Amino acid sequence: PSPGSKIAIQTDILSKNNRLAEKNRALFTTKGIFALNLVSSPGSGKTTILERTLKDLRDALRCAVIEGDQQTDNDAVRIAATGVPVKQINTGAGCHLDAHMVGHAMEEFNLDHLDLLFIENVGNLVCPASFDLGENHKVVVLSVTEGEDKPLKYPQMFHAADVMLLNKIDILPHLDFDMEKCKEMARRVSPGIIIFEVSSKTGAGMDAWYGWLADQVKAAPGRRS
Amino acid sequence: PSPGSKIAIQTDILSKNNRLAEKNRALFTTKGIFALNLVSSPGSGKTTILERTLKDLRDALRCAVIEGDQQTDNDAVRIAATGVPVKQINTGAGCHLDAHMVGHAMEEFNLDHLDLLFIENVGNLVCPASFDLGENHKVVVLSVTEGEDKPLKYPQMFHAADVMLLNKIDILPHLDFDMEKCKEMARRVSPGIIIFEVSSKTGAGMDAWYGWLADQVKAAPGRRS
Ligand SMILES: Nc1nc2c(ncn2[C@@H]2O[C@H](COP(=O)(O)OP(=O)(O)OP(=O)(O)O)[C@@H](O)[C@H]2O)c(=O)[nH]1
Ligand SMILES: Nc1nc2c(ncn2[C@@H]2O[C@H](COP(=O)(O)OP(=O)(O)OP(=O)(O)O)[C@@H](O)[C@H]2O)c(=O)[nH]1
Ligand SMILES: [Mg+2]
Ligand SMILES: [Mg+2]
Ligand SMILES: [Zn+2]
Ligand SMILES: [Zn+2]
């Protein structure tokens, strides 16, 4: 096809996705569910963050997880071990979750007993930026091992994110990583971004993240209590 | 569009790309250039590997680099500091380099004085797997900080790669990373894959990689001396 028709198809895919994302958002609001879309490079620590978060919050908040991966149910198995309901989506050749996949995955959960939904996207710092899933916020995870300049080099994703978890801070003593420079670069592409410095291995910094989550759940659109 | 027409467009894009990749490959062969396509997650160390490789090999081999990034010329600036010719491509919203971009970038180099071309792709462990650039081999970089299971979770890319650089081995003492398990998983999706364990920070293990490069350049299709 000409570049024009390629763009037309792309626009059509995105507008179809946006319609389905609105449907998901309406469902979340109706049920008072606070939903987060976790995005990052492969291996930044999304699942490890979820494992620790769920263990620490599962008694206070009713959680569920949707796991997106090209292949394997490794991540769903890890989440299931925490006792939290989880649904694995395998995208095969696909590079991102879309709103349609998430809508179907929601059929697996009891929505009347759910406060907080985590959607772990396919590890990809590019494509998932364009696909609204109906979430309240995109949360981008950046491992300090990846270097300071990722926000400027992959700006669409950091621009789309409202929250950044700077993970693996336990390794900082063994790296040349300039934390202030990284945060400055993130704010350049996403001025109001909320940043938490954490280690999902040691638990350092996780309490601030939990505090934010609890506040957000309380204030979620459609929430009654 | 229906799923059918989406697939038709996708197939058309890929078959156009394949035609242009064959054109690039023919050019590389005519000129006796050995070309590698470096792929990885964002921040695995592609540019750091290139910086060290170029400094160590630039007197023995005539090199050039094509840099692919969504935004910034950070990586081209780093490569230019080694004195090696470099061309930056910014993909904007795009998630991978394609053969058309690489064909145009080649116009920047003196092809009669070139032994070894490195193409650093956009950091993305998914989409670049589908786009042949005309290279001799895809080289996948995996940082040991990303975890052992990436080959099974992102199998298309590891299947497409003939070489894997396991980078950042200097951090191993501070991680729980099972090297043998990771190599076993890589071989499960890409049985003949050649693996080098390296640190582009300390230089550990780089000599084996350089030896492989020198041998490959000598044996490159179309090479006369
Ligand atoms: N040192 C350290 N390692 C971590 C931390 N968080 C995660 N890891 C390690 O990083 C690797 C990847 O972690 P995962 O949680 O699987 O990352 P992910 O983002 O879910 O990866 P994908 O879903 O495959 O994209 C594993 O080896 C983890 O043990 C951390 O805070 N510190
Ligand atoms: N400790 C250690 N750090 C490394 C090594 N190689 C690269 N790094 C660091 O990893 C981070 C990312 O390195 P880059 O070379 O920019 O990675 P890249 O794959 O080119 O990144 P993008 O092009 O942005 O996708 C930087 O902070 C580097 O200093 C290594 O062998 N050991
Ligand atoms: Mg994961
Ligand atoms: Mg780079
Ligand atoms: Zn995609
Ligand atoms: Zn893509």
Side-chain angles (χ1 to χ4, degrees):
Chain A
S2 69
S5 79
K6 182 183 161 186
I7 289 165
I9 298 287
Q10 192 60 28
T11 305
D12 197 274
I13 289 171
L14 285 176
S15 73
K16 186 182 167 201
N17 185 73
N18 285 342
R19 283 197 305 278
L20 293 170
E22 284 312 321
K23 237 179 101 178
N24 292 346
R25 202 180 325 274
L27 181 68
F28 299 150
T29 305
T30 305
K31 298 291 182 182
I33 299 167
F34 182 65
L36 295 176
N37 179 1
L38 269 75
V39 291
S40 83
S41 306
S44 303
K46 300 177 293 298
T47 309
T48 312
I49 287 168
L50 286 179
E51 288 176 300
R52 187 176 277 269
T53 301
L54 296 170
K55 277 178 204 151
D56 289 337
L57 294 189
R58 68 188 162 195
D59 294 334
L61 297 171
R62 296 167 301 180
C63 302
V65 177
I66 296 173
E67 280 293 339
D69 285 290
Q70 283 200 285
Q71 287 290 346
T72 82
D73 62 355
N74 290 6
D75 286 1
V77 169
R78 290 167 60 187
I79 297 299
T82 69
V84 166
V86 58
K87 168 70 183 162
Q88 178 79 51
I89 299 172
N90 283 138
T91 60
C95 51
H96 58 271
L97 293 178
D98 65 30
H100 182 247
M101 296 169 187
V102 168
H104 276 297
M106 290 308 293
E107 297 165 6
E108 308 282 321
F109 303 124
N110 184 339
L111 304 185
D112 294 323
H113 296 90
L114 192 51
D115 301 310
L116 180 52
L117 173 72
F118 294 103
I119 306 167
E120 180 181 336
N121 222 310
V122 179
N124 181 336
L125 216 36
V126 183
C127 313
S130 304
F131 288 82
D132 186 4
L133 305 179
E135 72 272 3
N136 294 81
H137 302 285
K138 283 191 179 64
V139 175
V140 65
V141 179
L142 179 64
S143 163
V144 295
T145 57
E146 294 173 43
E148 298 88 357
D149 63 354
K150 296 304 118 17
L152 299 187
K153 298 186 65 194
Y154 302 84
Q156 273 195 308
M157 185 62 90
F158 288 85
H159 181 74
D162 300 313
V163 178
M164 172 162 80
L165 297 179
L166 267 167
N167 191 34
K168 307 198 192 181
I169 58 171
D170 58 289
I171 317 180
L172 278 177
H174 316 290
L175 302 174
D176 310 309
F177 181 85
D178 185 335
M179 186 67 88
E180 288 314 309
K181 198 166 145 190
C182 183
K183 294 202 272 190
E184 189 270 313
M185 287 177 176
R187 292 195 179 108
R188 228 191 288 170
V189 296
S190 186
I193 197 163
I194 298 166
I195 302 175
F196 299 103
E197 302 172 26
V198 303
S199 166
S200 53
K201 186 178 182 176
T202 67
M206 296 291 283
D207 281 339
W209 157 244
Y210 299 158
W212 182 84
L213 284 173
D215 288 346
Q216 294 300 119
V217 166
K218 252 185 256 166
R223 191 155 171 105
R224 262 156 299 197
S225 65
Chain B
S2 70
S5 78
K6 182 182 161 187
I7 289 166
I9 297 287
Q10 193 58 27
T11 305
D12 197 90
I13 288 171
L14 284 176
S15 73
K16 185 182 165 202
N17 184 73
N18 284 342
R19 283 197 306 278
L20 293 170
E22 284 311 322
K23 239 180 97 178
N24 292 347
R25 203 181 323 276
L27 180 69
F28 298 151
T29 305
T30 305
K31 299 292 183 181
I33 298 167
F34 182 66
L36 295 176
N37 179 2
L38 269 76
V39 291
S40 84
S41 305
S44 302
K46 300 178 292 300
T47 309
T48 311
I49 288 169
L50 286 180
E51 288 176 300
R52 187 175 277 268
T53 301
L54 296 170
K55 278 180 204 151
D56 289 338
L57 295 189
R58 68 187 162 196
D59 294 334
L61 296 171
R62 295 167 302 179
C63 301
V65 177
I66 296 172
E67 280 293 341
D69 285 290
Q70 283 200 286
Q71 288 289 348
T72 81
D73 62 355
N74 290 7
D75 286 2
V77 169
R78 290 167 61 186
I79 298 299
T82 69
V84 166
V86 57
K87 169 72 183 162
Q88 177 79 52
I89 298 171
N90 282 140
T91 60
C95 51
H96 59 269
L97 294 177
D98 65 31
H100 182 247
M101 298 169 186
V102 168
H104 276 298
M106 291 306 293
E107 296 164 6
E108 308 282 320
F109 303 125
N110 184 339
L111 303 186
D112 293 323
H113 296 91
L114 191 51
D115 300 311
L116 180 52
L117 173 72
F118 293 104
I119 306 166
E120 181 181 336
N121 222 309
V122 179
N124 181 334
L125 216 37
V126 184
C127 314
S130 304
F131 288 82
D132 185 5
L133 306 178
E135 73 272 2
N136 294 80
H137 300 286
K138 282 192 180 66
V139 175
V140 66
V141 179
L142 180 64
S143 162
V144 294
T145 57
E146 295 172 44
E148 297 89 358
D149 63 354
K150 296 306 116 109
L152 297 187
K153 297 186 66 196
Y154 302 84
Q156 273 195 309
M157 185 62 91
F158 288 84
H159 181 73
D162 299 313
V163 178
M164 172 163 80
L165 296 179
L166 266 168
N167 191 33
K168 309 197 190 180
I169 58 171
D170 58 289
I171 316 180
L172 278 176
H174 316 290
L175 302 174
D176 311 308
F177 181 85
D178 185 334
M179 185 67 87
E180 289 313 309
K181 197 166 145 191
C182 183
K183 294 202 273 190
E184 189 271 312
M185 286 177 176
R187 292 194 178 107
R188 228 191 286 170
V189 293
S190 186
I193 198 164
I194 298 166
I195 302 174
F196 299 104
E197 301 172 25
V198 303
S199 166
S200 53
K201 185 178 183 180
T202 67
M206 295 291 281
D207 281 339
W209 157 243
Y210 299 158
W212 181 83
L213 284 173
D215 288 348
Q216 295 300 119
V217 166
K218 252 185 255 166
R223 188 153 173 106
R224 261 156 301 196
S225 64

